[in-house]
Amino acid sequence: MVMVNLVINGRKISAPAGSTVLQAATQANIKIPTLCDHPALGSIGACRMCLVEIKGQRTLQPSCTFPITEGMEVQTHSTGVVDARRFVLELLLSDHPLDCMTCDSTGSCELQDLMYEYGVKQTRFPGEQHAYPVDDPNPFIQRDYNKCILCRRCVRACQEINGAEAIGMVWRGFRSKPGTAFDGKLEDSNCEFCGMCVEVCPTGALLGKQVLGQGRAWQLTKTQSTCPYCGVGCQLDLYARDNKVVKVTSHWGAPPNQGSTCVKGRFGLDYVNHPDRLTQPLIKKDGKFEPASWDEALNLVAERLADTKQKYGGDSIAVLSSSKCTNEENYILQKFTRAVLETNNVDHCARL
Amino acid sequence: MTGLAAAFGSGAMTNSIEDLTTQAKSYLIIGSNTTEQHPVIGMRLRQAAKRGAKLIVADPRKTKITDFAVMHLQHKPGSDIALLNSLMNVLIAEDLYDKEFVANRTEGFDELKACVAKYTPEYAEKITGVSAEDVRKAARLLAANKPGALIYAMGITQHVTGHQNVLSTANLQMLLGNMGVPGGGVNPLRGQSNVQGACDMGCLPNFYPAYQKVVDEPAHTKFVEAWGNAASLTPGLTIVEMMNAAHSGKLKAMFVLGENPMMSDPDLNHVREALNTLDFLVVQDIFMNETAELADVVLPGASFAEKDGTNTNTERRVQRVRKAIEPLGDSKPDWVILCDLFKRVEARLGTDRSKGKFASWDYESPKAILAEINAVAPSYGGITWERIENVGLQWPCPNTEHPGTQFLHAGKFTRGLGKFHAVEWMPPAEEPDEKYPFVLTTGRVLFHFHGGTMSRRSAGLNAIYPEGKVEIHPQDATKLGVADGELVRVSSRRGEVVAKAEVVEKADPGVIFMTFHFKEAAANLLTIAALDPVAKIPEYKVAAVRVEKV
Ligand code: SF4
Ligand code: SF4
Ligand code: FES
């Protein structure tokens, strides 16, 4: 790999040729704020949050698209740069609802974090504000374009990650916004509700409907796990509150899915806390199930299995194991079948 | 997966999602509705198509992935072998196959050559309905764009000839020299989160963990030493055989963990009778399902979010499942319930397994069980709990220094030489006739999963796709006088269901499609339990049915 030497904020660093200034800085743990840029998407240099000062350049340059060159000198937080960023933020604030207190994005909103970091409380540019209706009827995704900052991450995710190309930028000028063809409903488009657009949206413009009102980032505990649906085994981050799984996000940067998910993994795990869940052992008496204690139920099962084996032999018993249970559970179940019941009658529905 | 084991010596997906989706120059996707069944792989295949890889999709139905394909070969249900043989016929006739690979890495080429000789594109066209010209074009595309990956799913295996179908896919990839390279291989996509793991763990009537054969004396001895006891050297019953044995009264008791054969098995009426005939049925699951309804005892397991353990995905990657919340109510993680039960059964039977190295059921945690698996399953030897903390490892991984295996059969097949099998096309077990003039084929939709136990209890998934439908071609709909959304009765020799018609141009006229997610319109009331004689997979994909307006 050819390495290029440059200086960022007086610090000498080197990065692989072909990197952008942002990538080089990130590698060296120098943080440059971004909004439209996302590591999983191609850079478009649209928001101008990541502006930096580069020696020899007459104007500030977006670091997310500017390639590094040998001997380059970069300032990421000079007064000029910080002022420019504040200007960008004030412009964004001039057309953004100030309802952070009730916004579900609070605490995980990149826009809010930047306003905080740059101390932007109000805007010098009061002007016309959007008043889009928030009414997409689909069951998964709330679209509130009043909170959209036109970063186009969603559009790029739909193109570059999903490939469904359900959404693009529609209309022009002040009315420009992401939308489906003819600015209609998601359900009438190619949308597959994978939620990658929700995942990458930096604000509260796109939110999962199921997470609304379920708690903010700091109230949730996060656990990495493996999706229980198909055989791809996507890595997901589950968020829980009060013993309930309330939200799922991408787990980036690991195989097999590298952050991608489908609708089932992201929006289909609410079955876990469904009221139909069985919560106590049941024994059928006179054709009807009655709740039982664990002791009662397990003793009954043990007795009947042992009796059957003694009376008819192990081959009179069969065991179906589960392609939804863990390796460890499957392993011990076949071990029991063979070593204790003494039969090879064990199968699962893999063939099916 | 018996087909791949016979051809290559190992029955698993040969390559990895990563190299498959980023390095292949062409794809043959056959019997896999990838975008709906394995959406994340579907997304990446679309990206592959955008970077210029050539997607060829062979499917009786038009699906989302066909939109991105350079060619859609719409072959008749049950004609896969004829189609594959005709592709190979062209490769050999036009001298487009990989002679070096065939000479150095395979055996049985002459038999294959003799067998496919008859499947000229013109001959096959009569069976498959795919034009001779398209077959030639597809074969040339595959030969010109290498490496190429072959992807299949249940559309290939769920036939009476499933085993043969798989052999046929293996033949094609060897002929093209697409084996043992990144971006190539024969890649079955597994349907459920841990099907691969359940197989690897020996939940098969003929295999101990890691495919050590039940019929092998040394394997038997090994497990007697490990466990203190093992069953006989005779393989047990497969799931469909179990149902038959239950039906005839030979089987007396059954323990079902986390499965719902009353939705997923073919010929449901037969399954119900079989389960009702049992003296004793136990079901351990997270929901009351159609099978549990018939049980004598139901044990409440915990969901995946309430327990720790590992799963193995379709590309042989062993990954952690982590506890995010406490088990609901009195439910418990399945491994906890099982160990408790096993101790009680063993106490009653008075078995003495004290000589076994791993005799106890007192595991401290799933981590301790995995350590035992590491010790008895060679391909899992190096896949320890600690090593897969962040990123999973792919078997074979024999020791803790081993990095895992991204693709199989590099330089040498597991069985030595790859074996070509002469495979003849055979008609499906049940063909349409006057009484049952339509072909029913079954599958999945994006928004649901398997028997629907999970996905139908997700508010959003159920809202967007609330009921099972019957897809009918507009021409057939007109003939039957059925409009979109009207109810139709679909009947076969085994049962009938009533559901709404969806009039769409997806399959050919004469072919209807249903899913098996919905108990109100369970397609498996209609399907046939005819089994592939080797792999013992039921024929879900083809059944003869009648359709009437209600
Ligand atoms: S909806 Fe979100 S991701 Fe899309 S352009 Fe607006 S702010 Fe960006
Ligand atoms: S949910 Fe997925 S398919 Fe739908 S618009 Fe968002 S990214 Fe595109
Ligand atoms: S992050 Fe660079 S311009 Fe938006």
Side-chain angles (χ1 to χ4, degrees):
Chain A
M1 206 187 297
V2 187
M3 299 298 276
V4 171
N5 301 301
L6 67 160
V7 181
I8 303 185
N9 299 344
R11 221 177 102 198
K12 284 191 187 139
I13 64 166
S14 64
S19 305
T20 62
V21 174
L22 177 64
Q23 284 163 343
T26 309
Q27 244 182 42
N29 272 323
I30 299 170
K31 207 180 161 283
I32 301 177
T34 53
L35 271 175
C36 67
D37 201 63
H38 188 281
L41 305 170
S43 303
I44 54 168
C47 75
R48 314 203 63 80
M49 246 338 270
C50 68
L51 291 177
V52 292
E53 206 171 293
I54 297 171
K55 199 168 171 192
Q57 294 287 328
R58 279 206 318 272
T59 54
L60 300 179
Q61 296 295 336
S63 60
C64 69
T65 50
F66 207 89
I68 54 170
T69 49
E70 186 66 32
M72 177 184 257
E73 285 178 40
V74 182
Q75 287 293 334
T76 67
H77 283 76
S78 65
T79 331
V81 166
V82 170
D83 281 350
R85 287 191 193 135
R86 208 171 268 136
F87 178 77
V88 170
L89 288 171
E90 282 188 46
L91 271 182
L92 287 173
L93 194 62
S94 71
D95 184 18
H96 197 93
L98 294 174
D99 64 349
C100 294
M101 314 66 166
T102 53
C103 180
D104 276 272
S105 208
T106 283
S108 52
C109 176
E110 294 175 43
L111 186 67
Q112 188 185 55
D113 288 350
L114 287 171
M115 296 289 177
Y116 177 80
E117 190 179 334
Y118 286 82
V120 179
K121 292 185 189 209
Q122 53 202 16
T123 177
R124 279 171 288 166
F125 318 105
E128 194 185 347
Q129 295 215 340
H130 286 104
Y132 295 116
V134 186
D135 68 346
D136 199 295
N138 79 79
F140 304 110
I141 300 175
Q142 172 177 289
R143 306 195 295 161
D144 179 356
Y145 288 116
N146 301 302
K147 294 182 178 170
C148 174
I149 57 167
L150 302 178
C151 66
R152 282 184 264 164
R153 281 191 192 177
C154 54
V155 172
R156 281 176 287 152
C158 195
Q159 248 165 32
E160 297 170 24
I161 298 176
N162 185 308
E165 308 195 354
I167 49 173
M169 296 304 285
V170 294
W171 308 113
R172 285 174 189 227
F174 181 69
R175 294 180 66 196
S176 169
K177 68 186 266 293
T180 64
F182 310 112
D183 204 9
K185 297 176 191 138
L186 281 178
E187 270 181 90
D188 300 331
S189 74
N190 271 344
C191 175
E192 291 168 357
F193 298 100
C194 65
M196 292 315 295
C197 52
V198 177
E199 172 73 32
V200 299
C201 178
T203 74
L206 300 177
L207 289 169
K209 285 191 175 170
Q210 293 162 11
V211 313
L212 300 176
Q214 299 288 334
R216 261 78 165 270
W218 63 88
Q219 295 167 308
L220 313 177
T221 53
K222 172 172 142 181
T223 313
Q224 178 190 344
S225 199
T226 302
C227 179
Y229 281 107
C230 84
V232 175
C234 289
Q235 294 301 293
L236 306 171
D237 286 335
L238 310 183
Y239 292 78
R241 188 185 180 198
D242 298 336
N243 216 40
K244 190 173 169 198
V245 177
V246 296
K247 176 175 158 180
V248 178
T249 64
S250 297
H251 183 82
W252 291 102
N257 53 318
Q258 305 288 356
S260 307
T261 74
C262 81
V263 60
K264 293 191 285 293
R266 187 180 300 272
F267 298 129
L269 298 188
D270 49 329
Y271 77 85
V272 164
N273 290 94
H274 193 281
D276 284 357
R277 275 287 301 275
L278 294 170
T279 53
Q280 48 191 349
L282 302 171
I283 296 177
K284 202 179 262 168
K285 291 179 184 147
D286 303 324
K288 267 178 51 199
F289 282 117
E290 283 174 22
S293 71
W294 274 110
D295 261 337
E296 218 181 320
L298 290 179
N299 281 338
L300 177 62
V301 176
E303 190 187 300
R304 298 294 303 265
L305 290 182
D307 284 357
T308 309
K309 173 163 194 292
Q310 275 160 345
K311 206 155 150 203
Y312 303 102
D315 285 339
S316 68
I317 305 175
V319 170
L320 276 186
S321 198
S322 176
S323 37
K324 297 195 241 351
C325 288
T326 64
N327 286 331
E328 291 70 22
E329 289 158 347
N330 279 296
Y331 172 79
I332 57 172
L333 185 52
Q334 62 83 37
K335 174 179 172 182
F336 166 77
T337 309
R338 295 186 157 118
V340 180
L341 295 181
E342 297 177 310
T343 175
N344 285 310
N345 289 343
V346 54
D347 201 0
H348 67 291
C349 75
R351 324 165 176 276
L352 315 179
Chain B
M1 303 300 131
T2 51
L4 292 188
F8 306 143
S10 166
M13 175 164 167
T14 61
N15 286 54
S16 296
I17 295 168
E18 193 67 35
D19 73 71
L20 185 74
T21 50
T22 58
Q23 294 183 48
K25 295 210 176 75
S26 65
Y27 297 88
L28 178 62
I29 302 172
I30 180 162
S32 159
N33 178 2
T34 327
T35 17
E36 301 210 51
Q37 293 167 331
H38 299 91
V40 165
I41 296 181
M43 291 178 197
R44 299 187 68 173
L45 288 176
R46 279 187 202 145
Q47 302 302 339
K50 287 196 208 168
R51 71 171 152 78
K54 308 274 182 284
L55 256 68
I56 300 176
V57 178
D59 201 302
R61 254 174 99 223
K62 194 170 166 342
T63 64
K64 282 198 171 167
I65 196 84
T66 53
D67 288 347
F68 291 80
V70 289
M71 292 187 79
H72 176 198
L73 310 174
Q74 201 158 5
H75 63 303
K76 295 200 182 117
S79 70
D80 307 84
I81 291 174
L83 179 68
L84 291 163
N85 277 352
S86 67
L87 288 170
M88 290 186 265
N89 176 291
V90 176
L91 292 174
I92 295 173
E94 300 190 3
D95 222 18
L96 296 171
Y97 68 100
D98 188 333
K99 283 184 215 70
E100 207 185 305
F101 188 92
V102 169
N104 298 332
R105 301 266 326 254
T106 68
E107 58 185 339
F109 176 69
D110 292 336
E111 287 87 335
L112 177 82
K113 190 174 168 182
C115 166
V116 303
K118 133 172 148 215
Y119 293 85
T120 60
E122 284 73 17
Y123 172 80
E125 179 173 350
K126 291 189 216 106
I127 303 169
T128 62
V130 178
S131 77
E133 192 190 331
D134 277 357
V135 169
R136 290 205 169 84
K137 199 172 141 204
R140 290 173 196 148
L141 261 174
L142 292 173
N145 294 278
K146 293 204 277 193
L150 188 144
I151 295 175
Y152 72 77
M154 260 86 90
I156 275 289
T157 51
Q158 289 177 347
H159 289 282
V160 185
T161 54
H163 173 80
Q164 309 287 81
N165 286 359
V166 173
L167 287 176
S168 208
T169 62
N171 286 343
L172 177 66
Q173 285 298 70
M174 288 193 288
L175 200 59
L176 284 162
N178 274 333
M179 295 305 302
V181 289
V186 177
N187 300 283
L189 301 182
R190 300 301 209 132
Q192 303 210 40
S193 58
N194 203 28
V195 189
Q196 185 65 52
C199 291
D200 297 350
M201 290 303 107
C203 291
L204 291 168
N206 50 345
F207 288 113
Y208 287 111
Y211 308 97
Q212 300 170 81
K213 291 196 184 102
V214 159
V215 296
D216 273 3
E217 192 71 56
H220 184 261
T221 313
K222 171 179 170 176
F223 282 97
V224 171
E225 275 166 22
W227 299 338
N229 190 24
S232 74
L233 288 142
T234 317
L237 303 176
T238 64
I239 183 165
V240 176
E241 290 167 341
M242 286 176 192
M243 294 305 162
N244 292 339
H247 206 258
S248 70
K250 234 186 87 204
L251 210 60
K252 303 290 181 198
M254 211 162 161
F255 186 98
V256 179
L257 170 68
E259 294 285 6
N260 187 7
M262 271 301 296
M263 274 299 278
S264 57
D265 276 28
D267 198 351
L268 290 184
N269 290 327
H270 176 78
V271 176
R272 176 179 300 109
E273 285 167 25
L275 295 176
N276 277 332
T277 313
L278 289 169
D279 288 351
F280 190 61
L281 173 65
V282 191
V283 173
Q284 180 167 321
D285 211 315
I286 63 171
F287 290 114
M288 180 56 74
N289 60 37
E290 294 71 25
T291 308
E293 300 279 5
L294 306 179
D296 298 286
V297 179
V298 177
L299 304 173
S303 81
F304 88 107
E306 295 144 52
K307 62 187 179 190
D308 287 306
T310 65
N311 274 7
T312 305
N313 79 350
T314 190
E315 54 168 3
R316 300 169 273 105
R317 190 184 298 278
V318 185
Q319 312 190 99
R320 290 274 294 275
V321 172
R322 284 191 185 76
K323 180 171 162 178
I325 59 174
E326 292 299 323
L328 302 194
D330 261 352
S331 72
K332 292 181 186 181
D334 293 301
W335 68 274
V336 175
I337 304 172
L338 292 175
C339 288
D340 189 350
L341 174 68
F342 299 165
K343 280 191 260 181
R344 293 177 202 240
V345 176
E346 211 156 11
R348 277 188 171 68
L349 288 171
T351 7
D352 176 19
R353 295 191 298 114
S354 55
K355 284 207 191 67
K357 199 167 162 223
F358 304 105
S360 157
W361 297 115
D362 287 316
Y363 300 104
E364 227 168 77
S365 65
K367 182 178 164 183
I369 305 176
L370 183 62
E372 181 175 324
I373 297 169
N374 296 151
V376 301
S379 55
Y380 276 65
I383 307 182
T384 60
W385 196 259
E386 291 79 14
R387 287 189 80 200
I388 55 171
E389 174 70 33
N390 297 317
V391 177
L393 282 167
Q394 291 172 284
W395 66 258
C397 177
N399 58 61
T400 49
E401 269 74 58
H402 196 284
T405 306
Q406 193 198 339
F407 56 92
L408 303 175
H409 316 304
K412 187 171 176 259
F413 284 100
T414 310
R415 72 181 287 279
L417 291 177
K419 186 165 170 46
F420 284 114
H421 289 82
V423 181
E424 293 283 354
W425 173 79
M426 277 185 335
E430 194 176 69
E431 287 198 283
D433 52 25
E434 247 169 59
K435 204 150 173 243
Y436 298 98
F438 284 91
V439 175
L440 163 74
T441 166
T442 64
R444 288 184 180 169
V445 295
L446 171 64
F447 296 107
H448 286 286
F449 186 69
H450 217 65
T453 348
M454 288 147 65
S455 58
R456 292 201 65 199
R457 288 192 176 83
S458 160
L461 298 176
N462 207 43
I464 199 148
Y465 203 104
E467 58 184 350
K469 291 176 214 156
V470 182
E471 283 181 19
I472 304 181
H473 191 278
Q475 281 178 23
D476 295 331
T478 316
K479 266 189 239 154
L480 296 166
V482 176
D484 192 76
E486 284 185 345
L487 288 179
V488 290
R489 173 178 297 110
V490 183
S491 38
S492 76
R493 291 185 174 82
R494 293 153 294 276
E496 60 171 56
V497 300
V498 173
K500 268 190 198 152
E502 185 180 0
V503 180
V504 279
E505 234 173 286
K506 282 190 179 166
D508 276 340
V511 179
I512 67 163
F513 172 84
M514 290 179 74
T515 67
F516 56 101
H517 309 301
F518 298 90
K519 65 170 177 231
E520 311 84 314
N524 286 337
L525 284 167
L526 308 169
T527 48
I528 176 167
L531 286 188
D532 173 306
V534 185
K536 309 268 165 83
I537 302 182
E539 177 138 73
Y540 288 109
K541 294 293 173 186
V542 192
V545 294
R546 183 169 63 229
V547 185
E548 297 149 310
K549 188 172 165 173
V550 183

